[in-house]
Amino acid sequence: MSMIRDLRAVVRPSRPSLRKDGGAYDTTRDPGTPSAVVDCAVYRDGARVDTGKPLTPHEAMRQVRRDGGFVWIGLHEPTEAEFAGIAGEFGLHPLAVEDAVQAHQRPKLERYDDSLFTVFKTIHYVEHDQLTANSEVVETGEVMCFTGRDFFITVRHGGQGSLRALRHRLQDDPELLARGPSAVLHAIADHVVDGYVAVADAVQDDIDEVETEVFTPGRKGGVSRGVDSARIYQLKREVLEFKRAVSPLLRPMQLLSERPMRLIDPDIQKYFRDVADHLARVHEQVIGFDELLNSILQANLAQASVAQNEDMRKITAWAAIIAVPTMVTGVYGMNFEHMPELHARYGYPVVLAFTVTVCLAIHRTLKRNGWL
C-alpha cells in the first residue's frame, strides 16, 4: 500500500508552471508510425519495456497480447485517416473516435463496452504585462483519454497540455504504473485539475488589480472615474471560458470517485475523490469570480455616472457665474441713446466692481455647497 501513499507525490510533485512548455514532442518516430503519434510504449509490471526502437501502435498491442501489460499511446491532433488504424486495432467506439478527431467537446465521461472515454479541457494562463481590452487571459486545449483493460490512449488538441513530463514522472514510479491504465487516468485528471488551481490563482490577481483600480479614489480624494469597461468585459469573457472547462467536469469526477467501474482499480478510485474535491473548490472560485466581476462592472458604471454628474454640476456652476457679466455686458452693449449711467464719471468702474463682486459671491456660495 506504500504505492498508494506516494500517489500524490508522483502525479503532483509541484504546482504546474503557467509558462508554455517548450519541448512537447518526441521526434524519434518510426517511419511507419502515424505522424500524430507523440509516444507509444508498452508497460509491464510497472516498467517501460525497452524494445531498442520506437514501436508502432500495432506492434505495441501485439506485444501486450502476447506478453501482458498495457500500452500507452499519446497522439497530438490526429486526422481521421491517422486515427482510423488505431481505432480499429483497439476496437474504439465510432462515436468516441469522431469526438476525438473533431475536438471542441465539452468535458465528459462516456462508458462503452470495453473502454471509457474521458474528455478534459486544459487551461493555460497567458502571461501579460498589463490587462487590456484585447488581452488573452486563458488559453484552452483538450485531452481525450481512452481507457481500456490493456491500453490507454491520449489525444491532445491545442498547443497546451503536454503530458510528456507526467509520463516521465509516472515511469519513475513502477509500483504505481503496475496498477494499469486507471492509474494513468487518475494522474492525468489530477494534472489537469492542478492546472486549474494554478490558473485560478493567477486570474485572482488580475481581478484584484482591476478591483483596486475601480475603487481607488480619484486625484485629491475626488470621485473615481473607474476604468475602461472593455477591460472588465474581456476579463469576464475569459472567466466564462474557464467556467466552461471546469463546470462540466464535476459530474465525470463524481462518477469516477463514487461509482464502481470494472476498468478502474478500486485502490486508485479512492484518489479520484481528492481530484473531485479540488475541482469543486476551483468551481466555487470561478463562480465567485463571475459574481465579483459583475459587481465590479456595476460599480465601475456607477462611478462613471457619478463622475459625469459631477462634471455637469461644475459646468452648470460656472455657467451661473458667467451669466452675471454676460447679462451686464449684454445690457450695456445695446447702445441706446438714453440709457442710465452712460455719462456718469465713475459708471464703468462701479459696474465692473459690481460684476466682479457678484461673481465672487456666487463662486464662494457654490464652492461652499460642493458644486465646485
Side-chain angles (χ1 to χ4, degrees):
M1 199 54 70
S2 61
M3 178 280 301
I4 298 299
R5 289 196 299 269
D6 295 338
L7 183 67
R8 287 173 59 90
V10 174
V11 300
R12 191 187 300 167
S14 61
R15 176 162 293 181
S17 171
L18 298 179
R19 301 285 183 179
K20 291 187 177 181
D21 186 2
Y25 308 115
D26 183 1
T27 57
T28 59
R29 299 193 185 100
D30 186 85
T33 304
S35 60
V37 176
V38 177
D39 199 355
C40 176
V42 172
Y43 296 89
R44 190 175 303 118
D45 298 327
R48 179 168 179 153
V49 177
D50 185 9
T51 59
K53 66 172 185 176
L55 292 174
T56 65
H58 175 74
E59 292 171 342
M61 195 60 194
R62 188 171 56 187
Q63 281 195 24
V64 167
R65 288 169 179 166
R66 184 186 63 213
D67 303 323
F70 74 96
V71 57
W72 179 1
I73 302 173
L75 300 99
H76 181 252
E77 297 183 353
T79 63
E80 185 175 354
E82 289 174 328
F83 200 35
I86 296 176
E89 181 73 34
F90 294 92
L92 305 180
H93 196 280
L95 292 177
V97 171
E98 181 180 357
D99 288 346
V101 172
Q102 293 181 356
H104 304 296
Q105 305 297 316
R106 68 195 302 270
K108 60 183 178 180
L109 170 66
E110 294 179 344
R111 288 175 290 182
Y112 296 101
D113 294 338
D114 298 318
S115 65
L116 292 176
F117 178 60
T118 316
V119 177
F120 299 97
K121 285 277 190 182
T122 58
I123 299 291
H124 170 74
Y125 180 77
V126 180
E127 296 285 350
H128 46 266
D129 295 331
Q130 184 177 10
L131 182 67
T132 67
N134 299 316
S135 294
E136 185 179 17
V137 179
V138 296
E139 184 179 358
T140 61
E142 292 177 56
V143 176
M144 304 176 182
C145 304
F146 293 87
T147 307
R149 183 180 58 82
D150 52 9
F151 66 86
F152 189 83
I153 302 172
T154 57
V155 180
R156 287 199 306 112
H157 290 269
Q160 306 305 321
S162 172
L163 303 175
R164 186 180 188 181
L166 178 63
R167 184 189 285 258
H168 290 165
R169 289 201 301 271
L170 287 173
Q171 289 174 174
D172 290 337
D173 191 335
E175 194 173 355
L176 175 59
L177 268 182
R179 313 299 285 193
S182 61
V184 182
L185 179 62
H186 169 269
I188 291 177
D190 194 58
H191 174 75
V192 170
V193 173
D194 270 0
Y196 294 167
V197 174
V199 172
D201 291 343
V203 172
Q204 178 70 66
D205 292 339
D206 284 335
I207 295 177
D208 289 344
E209 178 184 341
V210 171
E211 184 180 23
T212 300
E213 291 184 26
V214 168
F215 291 103
T216 297
R219 287 177 296 181
K220 298 181 180 179
V223 177
S224 173
R225 296 181 177 272
V227 300
D228 183 8
S229 295
R231 293 174 59 193
I232 304 177
Y233 275 118
Q234 175 65 15
L235 189 53
K236 187 172 174 60
R237 282 196 297 268
E238 296 297 301
V239 168
L240 180 60
E241 186 73 16
F242 194 2
K243 183 178 177 181
R244 288 172 179 165
V246 174
S247 296
L249 192 57
L250 290 171
R251 181 59 178 166
M253 286 299 101
Q254 183 181 10
L255 291 175
L256 287 170
S257 63
E258 297 178 356
R259 182 170 300 179
M261 299 182 185
R262 102 185 127 79
L263 293 174
I264 303 297
D265 188 296
D267 288 332
I268 295 295
Q269 187 173 32
K270 300 173 185 177
Y271 288 86
F272 277 107
R273 297 172 192 168
D274 179 66
V275 179
D277 178 64
H278 284 207
L279 182 65
R281 285 208 312 246
V282 173
H283 180 255
E284 291 174 359
Q285 278 186 282
V286 174
I287 296 297
F289 291 163
D290 194 32
E291 295 175 354
L292 181 58
L293 285 172
N294 284 335
S295 300
I296 292 174
L297 182 59
Q298 292 174 3
N300 189 63
L301 294 176
Q303 288 181 347
S305 178
V306 169
Q308 290 176 353
N309 290 339
E310 183 155 332
D311 289 342
M312 289 300 300
R313 187 169 59 180
K314 290 181 179 180
I315 291 172
T316 302
W318 282 110
I321 295 173
I322 295 173
V324 175
T326 301
M327 180 186 68
V328 174
T329 55
V331 169
Y332 282 93
M334 292 186 289
N335 296 322
F336 291 116
E337 182 177 352
H338 301 288
M339 289 184 68
E341 311 300 337
L342 284 179
H343 300 289
R345 178 183 296 272
Y346 299 107
Y348 176 75
V350 169
V351 171
L352 188 61
F354 171 78
T355 301
V356 171
T357 301
V358 173
C359 289
L360 289 176
I362 295 174
H363 181 272
R364 182 178 180 183
T365 301
L366 293 175
K367 189 172 184 179
R368 186 170 60 247
N369 293 332
W371 281 62
L372 289 174

